[in-house]
Amino acid sequence: MSKKTIHFGGMIHGVGSTTDGWRHPDIDATASTNLDFYKARAQLAEKGLFDFVFIADGLYISEKSIPHFLNRFEPMTLLSTLAAVTENIGLVGTFSSTYTDPFTLARQLMSLDHLSNGRAGWNLVTSPQAGVAKNYNNRALPPHHERYKIAQEHLDVVRGLWQSWEADAFIRDKETGTYFNPDKFHQLNYEGEYFQVAGPLNIGRSKQGEPLIFQAGSSEDGRAFAAANAEAIFTHASSLEKAKEFYDDIKKRAKEQGKNPDNIKVYPGISPLVGDSLEDAEAQYQAYAKLTPIEHAVRYLARYFDDYDFSRYDLDAPFPELGEIGKNAFRSTTDYIKQRAKEKNQTLRQVALEQAVPRPQFIGTAEDVADEIQRWFEAEAIDGFIISADIPHSFERFVDEVIPILQARGIYRTEYPGTTLREQVGVPITE
Amino acid sequence: MSKKTIHFGGMIHGVGSTTDGWRHPDIDATASTNLDFYKARAQLAEKGLFDFVFIADGLYISEKSIPHFLNRFEPMTLLSTLAAVTENIGLVGTFSSTYTDPFTLARQLMSLDHLSNGRAGWNLVTSPQAGVAKNYNNRALPPHHERYKIAQEHLDVVRGLWQSWEADAFIRDKETGTYFNPDKFHQLNYEGEYFQVAGPLNIGRSKQGEPLIFQAGSSEDGRAFAAANAEAIFTHASSLEKAKEFYDDIKKRAKEQGKNPDNIKVYPGISPLVGDSLEDAEAQYQAYAKLTPIEHAVRYLARYFDDYDFSRYDLDAPFPELGEIGKNAFRSTTDYIKQRAKEKNQTLRQVALEQAVPRPQFIGTAEDVADEIQRWFEAEAIDGFIISADIPHSFERFVDEVIPILQARGIYRTEYPGTTLREQVGVPITE
């Protein structure tokens, strides 16, 4: 078996995840619907031998949403277009198990997997925002725990449909007139509490068998679901210690389920910022952060708490006690925000600014950033990182400057191991 | 105003719409999931200055389905990939108003419209096959008339969502920090019998305003719906007289609705077959048709009649009296089949073979085919044709041999009039 190396994915996120970052002079303010921007990023990530590009998503906006959310490409169509302009990099999109039909989603993902020669991945989310229901016939957002029950059935249907045809089902013998082997063609006939789907699916298996399953929940329900189902996990890690705790927990849960823990990869998201010096990088961050006024930062924070109205609180008083608020939305994020505010005695202003324009944890020269990545990797706290780089030039500098250092140190690959997403990530191709 | 010319669209349909055509030595038996095949066809259609490529679809298969239906690309993903490898040709996909969520469909189509710089089109179908319900939580297929009521609401929601943002809503002024003009941002708040959708949509208008609406129903409900809603119609025409009747009827209905009849284009589907001589073309047809045994032809016919069991009937007795059977499925097609069998005193064998491998109406030398096209065009029976060409080489020969003749005669364009689908079709860009 080849030596273990670090892995990267690349989040591509238009004008970025802040309220005001788009005002930076070096940002293309049209990026969220500019195919040239996405194409350049995807090709750069491919040059950097990343496992995949990753497209986040949301299904509900209001006039208070950040610019990127208001006007952006839909992930399935975007990834299908990127399939034509890339060759080896995986294409991972975010799709909801609460607000999609499993037959349609199974089919679109498998079709993308064929169109890309085996590079599709599904980041399964349960859609945490209450407003989404208003766009889907008022099908109310189920409680957090039930959303994961629905997710389990949805995924079971999708994976069941993906096995409608065995890998060698299509014979296409012109002489005998045999197009397929009926013994390798299966009806699903799924009858669950939430879904009833007969199948079969009208597309066969792909070069990598079937799309890779990503999951991003970090709550108790989310971790249990991920360990049972996911092949890769997108998570947040505020420190090396917390990352290590999460990593060990997921691998232990996987083992308890009788799975090979190596086949569930853990990728925290980071926003590395490379400068000519630490001071230069700091200055880049400050120039970016100062674009966001405090009112916008508070509004951004509110989104995690179901658009909670924070205006009644003093900005410079301790962060308020919120009780159950936020528990049914982005639970792991809101739990973390509450706990951290308490631990650090933060004010509302501090919490809001920290959330709206987080200070990069991996910051400094290219050597500094490479050192920190290596430290996390050698501590066995991660399998890889998802690089999210809103600050201008930070994505380019990561690929052009940090990657070669990691390669020189022998902890990053110098070529793609294969052509499918499963090969790039290092999990088995499904039979 | 420029002189009226004929228009073409190109159906791309993998291994073809017959049960056994894939066995032809010159057919790529993997075509239905081979991107290279679709790419080559789309690029050839673009070379031929076609208005659009057209992707048909279905949401249910059984082991009795024809090969192309068993294993094929999903249209949204396929068209998004083709967007990256074509420049001017429209991209029209078939999507169901009965089995999609309007928010998701509106968003994917508008995203495709942005990714292709204004080339997306939606062929709205109401999903005639009863089996589809089994793949969608047993949401029973509503009766024919009600499906059109649902379709009307669905389309009203989709078009309403497409108007969430006015064309000049996004300002993106970095100086003032104004990303959009809130006066040009609209909430839909649709409350219908079948759909409740608040919006707004999280993507703005495209270069052509919004995707073009195609419709394919030819029943009374279908015609009424098309005249009220469609911008282009895909129809069948068994003769010039029938085509003229349909064309005049649609234009008259459009006028009665207060619409400009020029803004609803009528495209019958044809399968032109070009040979070195009429005899050569006939021989090509016979070589193709003889691949299909009569049992397969009957099975193919049965699909239009909700998989009706024809095996109880004598193949060489007159076509049986079927009463209401087929009325809730492909109604206009089954009505036509029944009527024609009666008029022509056809046997079951004749009907089945005629349906399974229709003899091309436009057949002969390139001059012959061009003559016939010109005759229909000059009779004002059509605005254009959708070219469906299952027989090997027929698509290539149409583009390479027939198109130049029509151009020389001054009834076909020699360059694209614009870059968007609406410009190629010749209907207004929506404000």
Side-chain angles (χ1 to χ4, degrees):
Chain A
M1 198 183 138
S2 61
K3 189 183 154 219
K4 205 176 163 190
T5 54
I6 195 164
H7 289 249
F8 295 110
M11 172 89 79
I12 318 185
H13 208 64
V15 294
S17 21
T18 65
T19 56
D20 293 83
W22 66 274
R23 297 178 66 181
H24 193 289
D26 294 349
I27 281 185
D28 168 9
T30 71
S32 298
T33 51
N34 182 349
L35 178 58
D36 289 337
F37 169 82
Y38 278 87
K39 189 174 153 181
R41 277 283 162 102
Q43 290 174 342
L44 185 60
E46 190 164 66
K47 179 186 158 203
L49 304 173
F50 283 28
D51 293 357
F52 52 84
V53 294
F54 189 101
I55 308 294
D57 199 36
L59 302 173
Y60 163 74
I61 57 168
S62 74
E63 75 285 354
K64 293 185 291 182
S65 301
I66 65 170
H68 176 63
F69 293 169
L70 291 172
N71 183 34
R72 59 170 151 178
F73 292 125
E74 181 280 333
M76 190 66 78
T77 47
L78 173 59
L79 291 170
S80 301
T81 302
L82 292 178
V85 296
T86 53
E87 277 179 33
N88 295 300
I89 196 162
L91 304 163
V92 178
T94 299
F95 303 100
S96 167
S97 55
T98 311
Y99 295 104
T100 59
D101 275 306
F103 189 86
T104 301
L105 187 66
R107 195 177 168 220
Q108 291 192 331
L109 282 167
M110 189 56 101
S111 183
L112 171 62
D113 214 16
H114 280 264
L115 289 162
S116 62
N117 275 313
R119 296 188 281 136
W122 173 20
N123 176 39
L124 184 159
V125 295
T126 65
S127 295
Q129 287 182 280
V132 175
K134 294 188 226 163
N135 289 331
Y136 288 88
N137 281 6
N138 300 317
R139 291 205 302 271
L141 187 71
H144 191 272
H145 182 69
E146 190 180 3
R147 288 209 303 275
Y148 277 97
K149 279 180 64 188
I150 296 171
Q152 187 66 58
E153 279 203 9
H154 191 295
L155 180 57
D156 289 345
V157 173
V158 167
R159 281 183 158 156
L161 289 170
W162 286 342
Q163 289 175 11
S164 297
W165 299 92
E166 295 182 32
D168 54 353
F170 293 101
I171 295 170
R172 304 186 180 99
D173 184 332
K174 290 186 178 186
E175 204 57 50
T176 62
T178 310
Y179 194 74
F180 69 97
N181 178 348
D183 296 340
K184 307 210 167 189
F185 178 52
H186 308 295
Q187 189 86 24
L188 177 62
N189 290 330
Y190 187 91
E191 292 284 342
E193 189 180 341
Y194 303 100
F195 298 106
Q196 299 81 44
V197 180
L201 195 65
N202 49 2
I203 184 166
R205 292 176 76 72
S206 75
K207 198 174 169 191
Q208 67 170 350
E210 57 193 49
L212 188 83
I213 303 297
F214 254 86
Q215 220 274 321
S218 298
S219 65
E220 175 57 32
D221 285 328
R223 288 182 187 211
F225 183 87
N229 297 288
E231 297 165 294
I233 299 177
F234 173 36
T235 183
H236 297 275
S238 54
S239 67
L240 173 52
E241 293 63 40
K242 293 223 163 96
K244 177 75 181 152
E245 181 278 317
F246 182 81
Y247 183 88
D248 290 344
D249 180 56
I250 289 291
K251 303 281 173 166
K252 182 167 147 279
R253 287 173 189 252
K255 248 182 256 168
E256 285 166 4
Q257 304 246 1
K259 301 175 115 183
N260 179 349
D262 284 347
N263 294 341
I264 303 185
K265 305 295 189 188
V266 177
Y267 297 82
I270 60 169
S271 301
L273 182 54
V274 174
D276 298 334
S277 63
L278 177 59
E279 294 66 40
D280 175 46
E282 274 289 351
Q284 288 184 54
Y285 168 62
Q286 293 302 338
Y288 186 75
K290 76 161 197 245
L291 295 167
T292 297
I294 182 65
E295 307 76 46
H296 290 187
V298 172
R299 188 202 292 168
Y300 180 86
L301 178 71
R303 176 172 171 271
Y304 289 121
F305 294 89
D306 262 344
D307 288 324
Y308 184 70
D309 179 12
F310 282 99
S311 67
R312 71 190 80 172
Y313 299 107
D314 182 346
L315 281 168
D316 297 303
F319 189 72
E321 185 57 59
L322 293 173
E324 290 295 303
I325 294 156
K327 282 275 182 205
N328 196 34
F330 298 85
R331 181 181 296 186
S332 55
T333 305
T334 57
D335 281 354
Y336 167 72
I337 291 170
K338 291 171 185 170
Q339 194 195 332
R340 182 171 164 89
K342 201 166 287 174
E343 279 170 20
K344 300 210 153 197
N345 283 317
Q346 289 172 313
T347 62
L348 173 57
R349 183 192 302 272
Q350 286 168 327
V351 170
L353 288 175
E354 184 173 278
Q355 288 301 317
V357 199
R359 189 177 174 282
Q361 299 162 267
F362 292 62
I363 183 169
T365 64
E367 289 282 343
D368 295 338
V369 171
D371 288 349
E372 188 67 1
I373 285 171
Q374 185 166 3
R375 191 168 76 92
W376 287 49
F377 176 64
E378 289 177 350
E380 294 189 30
I382 54 140
D383 291 300
F385 290 106
I386 292 184
I387 305 300
S388 171
D390 286 348
I391 300 179
H393 316 298
S394 61
F395 197 75
E396 293 83 345
R397 292 193 73 165
F398 182 82
V399 171
D400 292 337
E401 300 176 36
V402 179
I403 290 286
I405 296 171
L406 298 172
Q407 285 171 327
R409 293 180 187 178
I411 57 171
Y412 192 65
R413 62 191 171 206
T414 52
E415 59 184 22
Y416 274 119
T419 60
T420 67
L421 174 55
R422 289 177 179 277
E423 289 167 286
Q424 319 312 19
V425 166
V427 298
I429 286 182
T430 50
E431 291 305 313
Chain B
M1 199 184 140
S2 61
K3 190 184 153 217
K4 205 175 164 192
T5 54
I6 197 166
H7 289 250
F8 296 109
M11 172 90 79
I12 319 184
H13 209 64
V15 295
S17 21
T18 65
T19 56
D20 293 83
W22 67 273
R23 297 177 67 180
H24 193 288
D26 294 349
I27 280 185
D28 168 8
T30 70
S32 297
T33 51
N34 182 351
L35 178 58
D36 289 338
F37 169 81
Y38 277 88
K39 191 174 152 180
R41 277 283 163 102
Q43 290 173 343
L44 185 60
E46 191 164 67
K47 179 185 157 202
L49 304 173
F50 283 28
D51 293 356
F52 51 85
V53 294
F54 188 101
I55 308 294
D57 199 36
L59 302 173
Y60 163 74
I61 57 168
S62 75
E63 75 284 354
K64 293 185 289 181
S65 300
I66 64 170
H68 176 63
F69 294 169
L70 291 172
N71 183 35
R72 59 169 151 179
F73 291 125
E74 181 280 333
M76 190 66 77
T77 47
L78 172 59
L79 291 170
S80 301
T81 302
L82 293 177
V85 297
T86 53
E87 277 180 33
N88 295 301
I89 196 162
L91 305 164
V92 179
T94 299
F95 304 99
S96 167
S97 55
T98 310
Y99 294 104
T100 59
D101 275 306
F103 189 86
T104 302
L105 187 65
R107 195 178 167 217
Q108 291 192 330
L109 282 168
M110 188 56 99
S111 183
L112 171 62
D113 213 16
H114 279 266
L115 289 163
S116 61
N117 275 313
R119 296 188 281 136
W122 172 20
N123 176 40
L124 184 160
V125 295
T126 64
S127 294
Q129 289 182 280
V132 174
K134 295 188 224 164
N135 289 330
Y136 288 87
N137 281 4
N138 300 317
R139 291 205 301 270
L141 188 70
H144 191 271
H145 182 69
E146 190 180 2
R147 287 209 303 276
Y148 277 97
K149 277 179 64 187
I150 297 172
Q152 187 65 60
E153 279 203 8
H154 191 296
L155 180 57
D156 289 344
V157 172
V158 167
R159 281 185 158 155
L161 288 170
W162 285 342
Q163 288 174 11
S164 297
W165 299 94
E166 294 182 32
D168 55 353
F170 293 102
I171 295 170
R172 303 187 180 97
D173 183 332
K174 290 187 178 186
E175 206 56 51
T176 62
T178 310
Y179 194 74
F180 69 96
N181 178 349
D183 296 339
K184 306 210 166 188
F185 178 52
H186 308 294
Q187 190 85 25
L188 178 62
N189 290 329
Y190 188 91
E191 293 283 343
E193 188 179 342
Y194 302 101
F195 298 106
Q196 299 80 44
V197 180
L201 195 65
N202 49 1
I203 184 165
R205 291 177 78 72
S206 76
K207 197 173 169 193
Q208 67 170 348
E210 57 192 49
L212 188 84
I213 303 298
F214 253 87
Q215 220 274 324
S218 299
S219 64
E220 174 57 32
D221 285 329
R223 288 182 187 210
F225 183 87
N229 297 288
E231 297 165 295
I233 299 177
F234 172 36
T235 183
H236 297 274
S238 53
S239 67
L240 172 54
E241 293 63 38
K242 293 223 163 97
K244 176 76 180 151
E245 181 277 317
F246 182 81
Y247 183 88
D248 290 343
D249 180 55
I250 288 290
K251 303 280 173 167
K252 182 168 148 277
R253 287 173 189 252
K255 248 183 257 169
E256 285 165 5
Q257 304 247 1
K259 301 175 114 183
N260 179 347
D262 283 347
N263 294 341
I264 304 184
K265 305 295 188 187
V266 177
Y267 298 81
I270 60 169
S271 302
L273 182 54
V274 173
D276 298 335
S277 62
L278 178 59
E279 296 66 39
D280 175 47
E282 274 289 350
Q284 287 185 53
Y285 168 63
Q286 293 302 337
Y288 186 75
K290 75 161 197 244
L291 295 167
T292 297
I294 182 64
E295 308 76 48
H296 290 188
V298 172
R299 188 202 290 168
Y300 180 87
L301 177 70
R303 176 172 171 272
Y304 288 122
F305 294 88
D306 263 342
D307 287 324
Y308 185 71
D309 179 13
F310 282 98
S311 67
R312 73 191 76 173
Y313 298 108
D314 183 346
L315 282 169
D316 297 303
F319 189 71
E321 185 56 59
L322 293 173
E324 288 297 302
I325 294 158
K327 282 274 184 206
N328 196 32
F330 298 85
R331 180 179 296 186
S332 56
T333 305
T334 57
D335 281 353
Y336 167 72
I337 292 170
K338 290 171 184 171
Q339 193 197 333
R340 181 171 165 89
K342 200 164 288 175
E343 281 171 18
K344 300 207 150 199
N345 281 317
Q346 288 174 311
T347 62
L348 173 56
R349 182 190 304 272
Q350 286 168 328
V351 171
L353 287 175
E354 184 174 279
Q355 288 301 318
V357 200
R359 188 177 174 284
Q361 298 162 267
F362 292 63
I363 183 167
T365 64
E367 289 282 343
D368 295 338
V369 171
D371 288 349
E372 187 67 0
I373 284 172
Q374 184 165 5
R375 191 168 75 93
W376 287 49
F377 177 64
E378 288 177 349
E380 293 186 32
I382 55 140
D383 291 300
F385 289 106
I386 292 185
I387 305 299
S388 170
D390 287 349
I391 300 179
H393 316 297
S394 60
F395 197 75
E396 293 82 345
R397 290 192 74 165
F398 182 82
V399 172
D400 292 337
E401 300 175 37
V402 179
I403 290 286
I405 295 171
L406 299 172
Q407 285 171 329
R409 293 180 187 177
I411 56 170
Y412 192 64
R413 62 190 170 206
T414 52
E415 59 184 23
Y416 273 119
T419 60
T420 67
L421 174 54
R422 288 177 180 276
E423 289 167 287
Q424 319 311 20
V425 166
V427 298
I429 286 183
T430 50
E431 290 307 312

